Amino acid sequence: MLFPTITFATFFMVVFLANWFLMPYPKRWRWFMLAASYFFYGFWNWRFVGLLVVSSLANQFFAVQLERAKAESSRKGLITAAVAVNLGLLGYFKYYGFFVDSVNSTLDSLGMSGSLPLIQITLPVGISFFTFQALSYVIDIYRRKLAVAPPLDFAVYLAFFPQLVAGPIVRGTELLPQFQGRRDPRRIDASRAFYLIAIGLAKKVVIADFLASNLVDGVFASPGQYGSLEILVAVYAYSVQIYADFSAYSDIAIGIALLLGFRFPDNFNAPYTAVSIQDFWRRWHMTLSRWLRDYLYIPLGGSRGAGLLTQRNLMLTMLLGGLWHGAAWRFVIWGGLHGLWLVWERYREQRRTEPLVITPGVQLRRRLVTFHLVSFAWIFFRASSMSTAWEIIRRLFTEWGGGVDAITVPILLAVAVGIGAQYVTRPAVDRVLAGFSRLAPAAQGGVLAVSLFVIDALANEGVAAFIYFQF
Amino acid sequence: MAASVTPAPSSAKPLAAGHVFVAMVIALLGGALLNAQAMLRTAESQELGTERSVALFFAEPLASVSSALRLDTPREVVDEVLGREFAGRDEDLTLPAATTTTTVEGGSVASTTTTTTLPVLRAVTGAAPLDLWVIGDSFAELFGPALVNRSTDTGLIDAEVDFRFISGLTRPDYFDWPAYITEQLPEVTPDAAVVIFGGNDAQDVIIGGQKAEVGSDEWVALYGVRVGEAMDALLTGTERVYWVGLPIMESASFTANVLIMNGVYEAEAASRTGVTYVPSFDLFKDENGEYNAYLDGKHMRYSDGAHFTWNGGYRLADEVLSVISTEWGLS
C-alpha cells in the first residue's frame, strides 16, 4: 500500500479513529495496531507477514534469554546468535543472488565450471529496515540500555506501519516507551503533521516522479543517446530525485505517526546544504547514520584507536553501509567513495594546525564541492550496472558537443526548487505552521484540500513506488 | 545515543483528535471534489473487476457533484495550461468496442484487409543510419533501452524508445496508441518500428453492453482489430514494423492469455505486408521448456514473473536485432 493513494487515505482514516478510540484500552489498541500494520504490510504480499512474525518471535526469544542469562559468555553467545539469525534472514532474502552471481562470475573468469544454483527469491519490502530495528532492540538489551518489552509491544514496534517499509529506523529506546505512556488526544501536533504529509506528497509526486520520468530514467537507461550537458543535468536531477523521494517517505511517515500521537526521529536535515561529507551524513538518512555509528563503527573501535585504525573503521562502515542499500558491487563502490572522502576529510582535519575560518565564500565553495562529490557517487547508486555508470561518467566529460533537447525549463525548475527548498530554515517553517495552527479545523482542512488539488494537478499520472522500498 | 525525536514547534497550537478528523475529512473531500475528473479517469482506467467498480462507485457521484458545483473548472484550467488532454464530463468514457467500426456478427469479425506494396529497403550506412522507433507498454521499459544500447553499438542504427506504463491496445479510452502513433510519426520519421504490447491487454472488455472475457471469440476479434489498427497506423509512416510477441510468464493463466495474444499478433502481422512477427515465447523457456527467471546463469525476469530485467531486455534485443539486421542487410 503506497502512501500517496486513495487506498491508503481510506485505510488511515479508519486507523486514525480506532487509534484514538482504543487508546484507553492499551491491550486492545496493541492488537488493533498489530493487525492494521500486518494488513498494511500484507497488501504487498501476504506471505511476508509470516516473515515479520518469525522475526518478532525470534528476536523476542533472544531478548528474553539475554535478560535471563547471567554469565557473560552466555550473553555473548546469545547476542552472536541473535545477530547471526537476523543477518542470516537478510542475507538469504537480499544477498543470496548477489553472492551466487559474484561466485559464478569469479569461477567463470578463472575458467572453472560448476556454477552455483540460482533460485528466484523475492525481496520482502522493507526487510532491511525492520531487520535493523530488530537488531537495535536485541543489541540494546544486550548492552543493558533497554529492558525487554512485553511481546505484544515488541511485535507492534517491529511492524508499526508508518515506518515499516522505508524508515525512519526508529529504535526500541525511542518508540517502545511511547507505547507505555499515555498520549493526549487533545494535543495532537497536527499542523506539523499536515505540513510533513503535504510536503512529502509534493516532493514525491511533483518533484521526484517528474524528474524520474522526464529525464533521469531515460538518461540512465540509454546514456549513449545523450550529450554531456544532458547527462550533467540528469545527475543533478537524480540527486534531487532521490532526496525528494526518500525524504518524502520519511516526512509522510513522521507526519502519520504524529497524527497517531507518536514522535519519530528526524531522518533528513537539508542534506544538500552540507559543507563536508561528514556534515552530509549528519543530515542524510540520519537514523541509518546513527545506527551504523552505534552498532558498527563504535564496536569496530570508532575513533578511539590510532589514525589508521579509525580510517579502517570509517571505510568498513561505509562499505557495509553501501552494501546495506543493495546487493550489487556498485552500491559497495558508492559506499567506498563516501568512505574515502570521509577518510580524506579526517586526514586533512588532523593535519590542520590553525582553526578553519569559514567565510561565506569558503562555505559556498565547500557546499558546492560536497554536493558535486555526493552527486558523483549517486551515479553508481542509480546506474543499473557498472558499465552503465562508467559510460555515464565517460560521456559526462567527452560529449560536450552533444544535444541539449532533453533539458527543459520545467526540469531545471524542479532541480532548482529541490535544492533551493533546503535553504528554507526550520524557524521560517515554524512561523508558518504557528499561523496555520491558529486557523479553525475546517479552514485547515480547506487549505489542505487546495494543497492536495495543486499536488495532484501538477503530478504525473500514476504513482511510482518509493525508491527506498527496494532496500 | 539515540537522537531526540521531532520536537513540537513551541508556538504551534495543538488540535484535538476530533478536530484533526474534521480537518482530514474536509481535506480529502475537498481535494477529491477539486480533482474529481482526474479520479474518475483513474478509476475508469482500471481493469474491469471489483476494485474498478468500487472506485467508480465513489468517483462517479463525486465527479457529478464536482461538475454541478463547477469545482472541476480549476483542474480543467490547470490541465489545459499544462497541455494535458482533459477527459471532460461530457466525453463518452465507456469501453470502446460498441463505438468502433468493428462488426461482430455471429462471433466473427469482418476483418479489414490492407494491401500494401512492400517498399524496397534503402541502404543503411553509418552516415544514414536506420532510424528505429521502439514503442510499447511496460515490457518496453528495459527491452527498449537495451535495444537502443545494442543499436548504438552497431553504429548503423539510431533507436529511440517511447513507452507508456499501464497502457495497451485493449483500452484506447485510457491511452489511444493508434492515434498517438499517427500524431507522432511525422515528428519521429522512423524507418522501422519495434513494438511490444500485451502487459495490460489481457483484461475483459464490454462489447455492446456485454462483458467479453479474455480469450472469447468476441474478445479475440476485438483485440485483432485493435492490433491491426496499430499496425496500420505504423505502416503509414514506416517501411517495416517488427511486432514482438510476449514471452512465457510465470503464471499459468497469464501464459495462457499470452498464447492467445501472440496468436493475434502473428495472424495480424501475417495479413499485412511490411509487418514481421518476432516471437519471444520460447526464447525465455528453460531447458525443460518451462518458465524460469534465470537462464544461462543470468537473471532474466523480475519477481513479478513477467517483466524483463536488463539481462532479459538484452536477450530479447539481440533476437530482434538479428531479425532487423537480416532484413536490412546489416550483418
Side-chain angles (χ1 to χ4, degrees):
Chain A
M1 200 185 300
L2 296 170
F3 280 163
T5 57
I6 303 287
T7 313
F8 178 77
T10 311
F11 165 81
F12 182 69
M13 295 298 272
V14 174
V15 171
F16 176 83
L17 282 179
N19 169 70
W20 290 108
F21 277 122
L22 291 175
M23 201 194 61
Y25 314 101
K27 201 161 190 176
R28 283 184 216 168
W29 179 88
R30 284 165 172 77
W31 280 113
F32 169 78
M33 196 52 76
L34 186 64
S37 295
Y38 284 169
F39 176 79
F40 175 85
Y41 194 55
F43 224 76
W44 271 285
N45 190 331
W46 270 109
R47 285 176 298 167
F48 293 132
V49 174
L51 182 66
L52 206 48
V53 173
V54 167
S55 179
S56 301
L57 291 173
N59 283 290
Q60 186 65 5
F61 168 79
F62 284 119
V64 170
Q65 297 307 314
L66 274 167
E67 198 172 59
R68 283 183 189 161
K70 302 284 182 233
E72 195 52 33
S73 58
S74 309
R75 287 168 48 74
K76 276 195 174 154
L78 279 166
I79 193 63
T80 306
V83 170
V85 166
N86 279 294
L87 294 184
L89 270 182
L90 190 59
Y92 174 73
F93 282 102
K94 188 163 177 174
Y95 299 106
Y96 177 84
F98 172 60
F99 171 75
V100 171
D101 258 350
S102 299
V103 170
N104 285 345
S105 299
T106 309
L107 288 175
D108 278 350
S109 64
L110 295 172
M112 298 163 72
S113 56
S115 298
L116 292 177
L118 278 161
I119 52 174
Q120 185 175 331
I121 300 167
T122 305
L123 180 66
V125 174
I127 187 170
S128 303
F129 290 91
F130 69 72
T131 301
F132 268 33
Q133 292 203 163
L135 278 169
S136 78
Y137 173 71
V138 287
I139 294 172
D140 282 349
I141 288 170
Y142 170 72
R143 291 175 175 173
R144 297 198 169 92
K145 286 183 174 175
L146 182 67
V148 173
L152 194 51
D153 277 25
F154 174 64
V156 175
Y157 157 69
L158 205 61
F160 197 41
F161 75 88
Q163 96 287 2
L164 172 62
V165 294
I169 300 170
V170 186
R171 297 186 194 180
T173 49
E174 293 164 332
L175 192 54
L176 285 166
Q178 295 188 56
F179 290 161
Q180 299 292 335
R182 190 172 167 78
R183 291 161 286 127
D184 189 346
R186 294 162 305 171
R187 297 189 59 79
I188 298 175
D189 190 2
S191 55
R192 176 156 296 278
F194 289 152
Y195 163 75
L196 287 169
I197 292 168
I199 208 77
L201 286 174
K203 282 198 278 192
K204 168 66 181 161
V205 301
V206 180
I207 304 267
D209 291 353
F210 171 77
L211 288 174
S213 58
N214 287 283
L215 182 66
V216 176
D217 289 352
V219 169
F220 278 84
S222 304
Q225 305 296 300
Y226 298 90
S228 294
L229 195 58
E230 289 170 318
I231 288 178
L232 180 67
V233 175
V235 172
Y236 290 155
Y238 183 65
S239 298
V240 171
Q241 184 206 336
I242 191 167
Y243 162 73
D245 190 291
F246 186 24
S247 69
Y249 193 92
S250 290
D251 289 344
I252 298 171
I254 293 168
I256 284 167
L258 272 177
L259 290 177
L260 298 176
F262 295 96
R263 292 191 179 280
F264 284 176
D266 285 339
N267 214 18
F268 290 88
N269 180 20
Y272 294 145
T273 64
V275 293
S276 66
I277 297 296
Q278 187 184 39
D279 188 24
F280 173 78
W281 280 102
R282 286 176 180 152
R283 296 165 175 274
W284 177 272
H285 203 173
M286 292 143 71
T287 55
L288 175 68
S289 304
R290 288 189 296 117
W291 198 101
L292 292 172
R293 181 195 64 195
D294 293 347
Y295 300 109
L296 185 59
Y297 178 68
I298 291 175
L300 281 170
S303 51
R304 293 192 299 273
L308 270 179
L309 277 178
T310 303
Q311 316 291 41
R312 181 207 65 175
N313 297 339
L314 268 176
M315 275 307 291
L316 272 176
T317 304
M318 295 314 294
L319 286 170
L320 289 171
L323 199 56
W324 176 87
H325 281 86
W329 286 109
R330 55 200 174 80
F331 290 108
V332 179
I333 288 182
W334 172 77
L337 282 173
H338 276 273
L340 279 177
W341 293 329
L342 284 171
V343 165
W344 172 246
E345 280 180 0
R346 196 171 185 87
Y347 172 74
R348 287 196 52 174
E349 198 66 37
Q350 284 169 344
R351 283 173 59 97
R352 185 169 286 121
T353 51
E354 291 177 13
L356 182 68
V357 180
I358 305 279
T359 62
V362 170
Q363 190 174 51
L364 177 65
R365 179 172 54 80
R366 292 181 63 156
R367 276 183 174 153
L368 283 172
V369 169
T370 304
F371 176 71
H372 281 85
L373 289 177
V374 169
S375 296
F376 179 78
W378 285 135
I379 293 173
F380 292 93
F381 196 94
R382 172 60 181 83
S384 56
S385 65
M386 286 300 295
S387 58
T388 306
W390 291 124
E391 172 73 355
I392 283 174
I393 292 166
R394 188 186 68 76
R395 294 188 72 86
L396 190 55
F397 295 103
T398 59
E399 299 294 331
W400 282 97
V404 291
D405 296 347
I407 306 169
T408 61
V409 172
I411 285 169
L412 293 175
L413 195 63
V415 172
V417 168
I419 295 172
Q422 301 191 29
Y423 288 87
V424 178
T425 61
R426 178 95 177 221
V429 172
D430 286 348
R431 277 195 296 278
V432 174
L433 294 187
F436 175 80
S437 72
R438 278 165 178 73
L439 295 175
Q444 291 190 17
V447 172
L448 290 171
V450 172
S451 306
L452 287 178
F453 161 71
V454 173
I455 291 166
D456 193 63
L458 295 179
N460 279 349
E461 297 255 342
V463 178
F466 287 86
I467 293 176
Y468 263 66
F469 280 11
Q470 63 191 291
F471 308 135
Chain B
M1 183 196 289
S4 61
V5 291
T6 316
S10 55
S11 53
K13 188 178 152 197
L15 274 190
H19 288 160
V20 172
F21 187 72
V22 168
M24 288 197 300
V25 168
I26 291 172
L28 291 174
L29 202 58
L33 284 169
L34 287 167
N35 288 313
Q37 299 300 341
M39 285 176 64
L40 186 59
R41 284 204 299 273
T42 306
E44 282 172 333
S45 69
Q46 293 181 24
E47 270 189 51
L48 291 180
T50 312
E51 209 169 315
R52 182 176 187 268
S53 303
V54 172
L56 282 174
F57 178 80
F58 290 107
E60 281 175 342
L62 269 173
S64 301
V65 173
S66 172
S67 174
L69 298 174
R70 310 303 300 175
L71 288 172
D72 53 358
T73 308
R75 180 63 190 253
E76 201 168 347
V77 170
V78 172
D79 282 337
E80 275 177 17
V81 168
L82 295 177
R84 290 174 181 162
E85 195 178 326
F86 182 70
R89 56 189 169 277
D90 297 328
E91 194 168 324
D92 181 11
L93 291 173
T94 53
L95 290 169
T99 59
T100 63
T101 53
T102 315
T103 312
V104 182
E105 289 173 358
S108 66
V109 169
S111 61
T112 311
T113 307
T114 307
T115 310
T116 311
T117 309
L118 190 63
V120 177
L121 298 177
R122 70 173 177 83
V124 173
T125 64
L130 172 68
D131 284 321
L132 209 57
W133 193 34
V134 188
I135 61 171
D137 59 13
S138 54
F139 276 92
E141 183 192 9
L142 294 184
F143 158 63
L147 188 56
V148 169
N149 293 341
R150 286 284 199 262
S151 299
T152 305
D153 293 344
T154 65
L156 294 170
I157 305 175
D158 262 353
E160 69 173 89
V161 189
D162 193 346
F163 75 97
R164 294 284 188 284
F165 286 116
I166 335 171
S167 69
L169 300 173
T170 318
R171 300 282 306 276
D173 57 314
Y174 180 68
F175 189 81
D176 190 344
W177 271 101
Y180 180 73
I181 290 165
T182 306
E183 179 193 308
Q184 289 293 306
L185 274 177
E187 258 182 60
V188 186
T189 61
D191 295 308
V194 175
V195 187
I196 185 162
F197 280 113
N200 310 296
D201 282 347
Q203 53 176 293
D204 301 340
V205 294
I206 297 168
I207 302 175
Q210 297 292 311
K211 183 174 166 183
E213 292 187 353
V214 178
S216 64
D217 289 346
E218 292 79 7
W219 189 93
V220 170
L222 174 73
Y223 194 56
V225 172
R226 294 275 181 263
V227 171
E229 284 170 355
M231 289 176 176
D232 292 338
L234 285 164
L235 285 170
T236 62
T238 62
E239 293 185 47
R240 288 283 191 280
V241 173
Y242 299 94
W243 199 285
V244 183
L246 288 170
I248 185 171
M249 305 289 173
E250 185 175 31
S251 149
S253 59
F254 195 4
T255 298
N257 289 335
V258 160
L259 288 169
I260 293 165
M261 290 188 285
N262 283 348
V264 172
Y265 305 145
E266 191 168 8
E268 292 300 319
S271 71
R272 284 166 177 78
T273 309
V275 182
T276 304
Y277 173 67
V278 185
S280 75
F281 193 84
D282 291 345
L283 189 66
F284 287 89
K285 282 180 176 173
D286 66 10
E287 61 273 17
N288 301 317
E290 306 281 338
Y291 171 88
N292 197 326
Y294 292 89
L295 297 171
D296 302 332
K298 287 183 177 169
H299 192 195
M300 296 286 169
R301 311 287 288 276
Y302 276 123
S303 55
D304 63 5
H307 291 95
F308 302 118
T309 61
W310 275 104
N311 288 328
Y314 278 115
R315 187 180 181 92
L316 184 54
D318 289 339
E319 178 76 8
V320 172
L321 264 190
S322 108
V323 174
I324 292 173
S325 299
T326 305
E327 283 204 11
W328 291 78
L330 306 180
S331 46

